[in-house]
Amino acid sequence: MATTKSAPAGRIGIDWAGLGWMFLFFWYFSGVTQTLIALSGVAGLQGLRQASMASALWLIPLLLFPARTRLLAGVIGTILWLCSLSGFGYFLVYGQEFSQSVIFIMFESNVSEATEYLGHYFSWSIVFAAVAYGLGGWLLWRKVRPVYLPRQMTLAACLLLFGLSMGYEAVRQYIKRDDLQRAVDEFEENIEVASPWQLAVGYHQYRRQLGNMEGLLASQEQIPPLKNLVDAHAGQPSTLVLVIGESTNRQRLSLYGYSRPTTPNLDKLRGELQVFDNVVTPRPYTIEALQQVLTFADQEHPNLYLSTPSLVSVMKQAGYKTYWITNQQTMTKRNTMLTTFSKQADEQFYLNNNRDQNTTSQYDGDVLDPFAKVLADDAPRKFVVVHLLGTHMRYHYRYPEEFDHFTDRSGVPASVTDDQLPTYNSYDNAVLYNDYVVSSLIERFRATDPSGFLLYLADHGEAVFDAPDPKVLGRNEGAPTSPMYTVPFILWSSPKWQAQQQARDFTASLHRPYSSSHFIHTWADLAGLRFDEFDPSKSLVSAEFRERPLLIGNPQQPKSLIDFSLIKPKKPVDQDADLVQQEREAKDRTM
């Protein structure tokens, strides 16, 4: 067994420069990519900080066995370099951070797709960058030299390095989290930015989430089909599109009366749209809401999503070819259920493979090209789901610079403080960009002269310093406010489809109080589908519609459910005063 040598005769003190070169060498294989990510503005400095701490771990074997420093550094460095190439190359190609979602895409691709991908993105500049990246590591390796410390100091230094790189974060998560598994998940997420954990943790999480998803898919396959399904449009070419928004409160859309022009494109299309203005979501969280929106589950029967067909399965049973285009993160613990829904479709387009959802390189406009590709598919009957990232927090990551339109207090309630103003404005800018994306989807759809319709709704809303409580930001089911639940619900129908429907009149439906937990019945009604499980009283557009309490809250705790009408926004006492103040400010700006 090798022993720790004492410092050579004549050497006094600690070789700090030697320690520095050691650390810089190991940091290089994680820090370079994270520095590029931070400098490009794709993500913040958190990844760089986490990578720097994790890199300190590799100093330990060199301190324990200083006589073999160059050999150990070379072996470890080679492994780190090889493992880091995936993240480094992925950033060069996409300008994004490598994640377990990328691993999911990699393993879901066949050899032909992988070859086509490599051929499409291959360039000599990437090869040159990879070689230069390796050369940089080799030059640093040449600077690495043994650092000899007294035995006790060596052991103390190794314990300190282990604590900084791994131990502290592990203990912190264990103390902070409710259970061990959650603590492990958070710990893995924090070290995932560093090589080789980027691949090791990513693959481990991918396998676990894949197992969960496969279990859900297997259980879905055991669900019997709908009974006695009849399609009024059977055999007729048609394309039906469902656009799912994210975190969009309809009260901040000018289409719904908001004072700022946040939806100029949809406003122009107003004459072609059916705008339903009294729809609420049952829950203010994406997964929990869509488990009901996309299945027969609701607040009174929340677990039916496990035992009844999803909307994708319903449309497949009706003879539609199904597609799922998503700009949401693909393979994460939270999104496993959504990925399960998407995998039920015949074709999937996973666009967002970032480790961090908050990046400046992933905008919803990316859905437009795959949407056009799907529309060009020669399948006669198509059902398309487009899942947007919408106006999800943090809002300034949701739109490109040219949509940074709202920057001052014009049209802003007086209750919004100066500290709140940037966030308030960035949310409206996110809504503005969302308007561009949704209207572009409608226009591209309309340009194909289809027989069908496009329906847009958001999974839930978001409170961004809105009345009735202007201090609230975000969503909290335990302290609900109306902006968390009020969602846009907009329908565009093609002339051909309207002709087949004999110009169906929705006037009586536009103001009905409705929960999106019963959405699958409305969709079936619009699509002309009938089956034994269909309940016309739960369809927003049915003549047999029956008004029900708009239940919100956690259905696993039935006593916590309340009727949304109990938190509907009421006119603030000082609203008139606020309007007068805004008018005065506007007049002052024109003087």
Side-chain angles (χ1 to χ4, degrees):
M1 179 180 295
T3 57
T4 304
K5 296 182 179 180
S6 301
R11 179 171 294 182
I12 301 175
I14 301 173
D15 182 5
W16 292 108
L19 288 172
W21 283 116
M22 280 184 190
F23 175 75
L24 185 60
F25 172 67
F26 292 122
W27 173 89
Y28 178 83
F29 301 107
S30 301
V32 167
T33 302
Q34 288 300 323
T35 299
L36 291 173
I37 289 170
L39 291 175
S40 67
V42 169
L45 295 173
Q46 183 178 9
L48 181 59
R49 177 182 60 81
Q50 292 170 337
S52 299
M53 293 179 66
S55 298
L57 178 71
W58 308 113
L59 273 66
I60 294 176
L62 274 63
L63 292 178
L64 289 175
F65 307 101
R68 301 177 181 174
T69 291
R70 297 292 295 276
L71 175 63
L72 288 172
V75 172
I76 297 172
T78 299
I79 295 173
L80 295 181
W81 175 67
L82 291 172
C83 291
S84 68
L85 280 175
S86 55
F88 179 71
Y90 191 78
F91 174 80
L92 293 181
V93 173
Y94 286 106
Q96 299 175 355
E97 190 171 6
F98 193 84
S99 71
Q100 67 189 70
S101 293
V102 181
I103 296 177
F104 172 74
I105 302 300
M106 289 166 52
F107 281 91
E108 288 295 299
S109 301
N110 56 40
V111 175
S112 175
E113 290 171 335
T115 303
E116 181 181 351
Y117 168 83
L118 291 174
H120 180 74
Y121 286 105
F122 174 82
S123 70
W124 287 109
S125 62
I126 298 294
V127 174
F128 175 78
V131 172
Y133 175 58
L135 179 62
W138 178 74
L139 292 173
L140 287 173
W141 175 76
R142 296 189 61 184
K143 292 287 187 179
V144 174
R145 61 177 182 251
V147 173
Y148 295 91
L149 299 174
R151 179 184 298 274
Q152 290 185 345
M153 185 177 293
T154 297
L155 295 176
C158 290
L159 286 173
L160 177 62
L161 289 169
F162 181 80
L164 288 174
S165 60
M166 297 286 173
Y168 167 75
E169 187 61 35
V171 172
R172 186 176 77 91
Q173 294 300 338
Y174 179 76
I175 295 174
K176 185 178 178 181
R177 304 302 170 183
D178 300 333
D179 57 78
L180 180 60
Q181 185 58 61
R182 189 177 176 193
V184 171
D185 290 343
E186 293 296 327
F187 171 72
E188 288 185 343
E189 184 177 331
N190 283 335
I191 67 170
E192 187 183 6
V193 298
S195 181
W197 312 117
Q198 193 170 58
L199 287 180
V201 171
Y203 182 73
H204 171 252
Q205 293 179 344
Y206 157 73
R207 293 300 307 175
R208 193 174 70 190
Q209 300 309 329
L210 182 65
N212 294 338
M213 187 184 72
E214 288 176 340
L216 288 169
L217 282 171
S219 64
Q220 287 286 318
E221 291 174 358
Q222 302 303 315
I223 296 173
L226 298 173
K227 298 177 182 178
N228 301 316
L229 186 147
V230 176
D231 183 357
H233 305 283
Q236 301 174 9
S238 56
T239 300
L240 308 183
V241 181
L242 171 61
V243 181
I244 304 173
E246 166 73 59
S247 303
T248 304
N249 166 23
R250 70 163 179 263
Q251 299 175 40
R252 299 287 283 270
L253 276 65
S254 54
L255 185 68
Y256 283 90
Y258 182 50
S259 60
R260 278 180 155 183
T262 53
T263 55
N265 296 302
L266 290 175
D267 292 340
K268 293 176 183 177
L269 293 171
R270 182 67 176 82
E272 303 178 40
L273 305 175
Q274 303 295 331
V275 181
F276 299 83
D277 61 10
N278 206 358
V279 177
V280 302
T281 186
R283 306 198 66 183
Y285 311 115
T286 299
I287 310 301
E288 288 77 4
L290 293 183
Q291 282 175 352
Q292 297 186 31
V293 171
L294 298 176
T295 72
F296 288 90
D298 58 27
Q299 288 289 71
E300 296 173 294
H301 311 93
N303 295 322
L304 281 182
Y305 75 94
L306 295 171
S307 58
T308 57
S310 70
L311 183 58
V312 174
S313 297
V314 170
M315 298 307 291
K316 292 181 75 172
Q317 185 180 342
Y320 286 80
K321 184 176 181 180
T322 55
Y323 310 79
W324 191 287
I325 304 169
T326 179
N327 197 35
Q328 294 264 334
Q329 287 177 300
T330 304
M331 203 64 176
T332 66
K333 183 177 180 181
R334 280 286 294 165
N335 279 10
T336 301
M337 190 67 227
L338 289 183
T339 306
T340 301
F341 286 141
S342 73
K343 289 298 291 180
Q344 294 174 5
D346 297 308
E347 293 188 16
Q348 303 84 21
F349 297 82
Y350 300 120
L351 307 176
N352 189 341
N353 302 312
N354 288 291
R355 188 184 74 87
D356 189 343
Q357 187 163 252
N358 297 323
T359 73
T360 57
S361 62
Q362 193 67 44
Y363 302 120
D364 279 336
D366 289 350
V367 305
L368 296 176
D369 285 345
F371 183 62
K373 180 179 179 181
V374 168
L375 294 180
D377 192 316
D378 59 5
R381 290 161 64 80
K382 297 189 284 283
F383 169 62
V384 189
V385 177
V386 182
H387 194 184
L388 305 176
L389 201 49
T391 57
H392 194 287
M393 189 184 291
R394 302 176 177 179
Y395 316 120
H396 63 280
Y397 286 110
R398 302 298 160 240
Y399 55 91
E401 185 177 355
E402 58 266 31
F403 283 84
D404 189 21
H405 177 75
F406 301 105
T407 57
D408 57 23
R409 298 196 66 92
S410 177
V412 177
S415 58
V416 175
T417 67
D418 290 341
D419 290 340
Q420 297 169 342
L421 183 62
T423 301
Y424 189 94
N425 281 336
S426 63
Y427 184 75
D428 281 351
N429 288 324
V431 174
L432 181 68
Y433 183 64
N434 185 70
D435 166 72
Y436 159 74
V437 174
V438 174
S439 62
S440 295
L441 288 169
I442 293 174
E443 289 168 354
R444 293 197 178 198
F445 185 42
R446 178 175 57 185
T448 65
D449 191 25
S451 175
F453 62 83
L454 181 151
L455 193 151
Y456 164 70
L457 81 160
D459 53 1
H460 54 75
E462 189 106 331
V464 187
F465 309 126
D466 302 287
D469 192 341
K471 297 180 181 179
V472 176
L473 175 65
R475 293 162 276 125
N476 184 350
E477 197 166 58
T481 64
S482 60
M484 302 175 190
Y485 295 88
T486 52
V487 295
F489 194 104
I490 302 165
L491 177 68
W492 181 89
S493 301
S494 72
K496 288 182 179 178
W497 187 265
Q498 292 179 40
Q500 293 176 8
Q501 299 284 325
Q502 297 181 346
R504 190 171 181 179
D505 186 6
F506 295 105
T507 304
S509 310
L510 298 178
H511 310 299
R512 287 172 172 171
Y514 187 70
S515 171
S516 60
S517 64
H518 298 145
F519 173 76
I520 199 166
H521 298 277
T522 295
W523 180 271
D525 199 356
L526 289 168
L529 303 179
R530 295 293 183 271
F531 37 83
D532 290 358
E533 296 85 352
F534 173 69
D535 185 347
S537 72
K538 294 181 179 179
S539 168
L540 177 58
V541 296
S542 172
E544 301 177 48
F545 170 79
R546 179 165 60 85
E547 188 173 327
R548 290 174 165 82
L550 304 178
L551 297 177
I552 62 171
N554 185 353
Q556 304 299 336
Q557 301 171 359
K559 292 184 179 179
S560 72
L561 297 179
I562 63 172
D563 189 338
F564 175 78
S565 63
L566 299 178
I567 65 163
K568 275 191 175 181
K570 297 179 180 179
K571 182 179 178 181
V573 174
D574 61 345
Q575 183 175 4
D576 292 335
D578 286 348
L579 291 174
V580 170
Q581 178 64 25
Q582 290 178 41
E583 290 174 358
R584 288 175 178 171
E585 292 174 354
K587 184 179 292 185
D588 291 340
R589 287 192 293 271
T590 59
M591 293 179 64

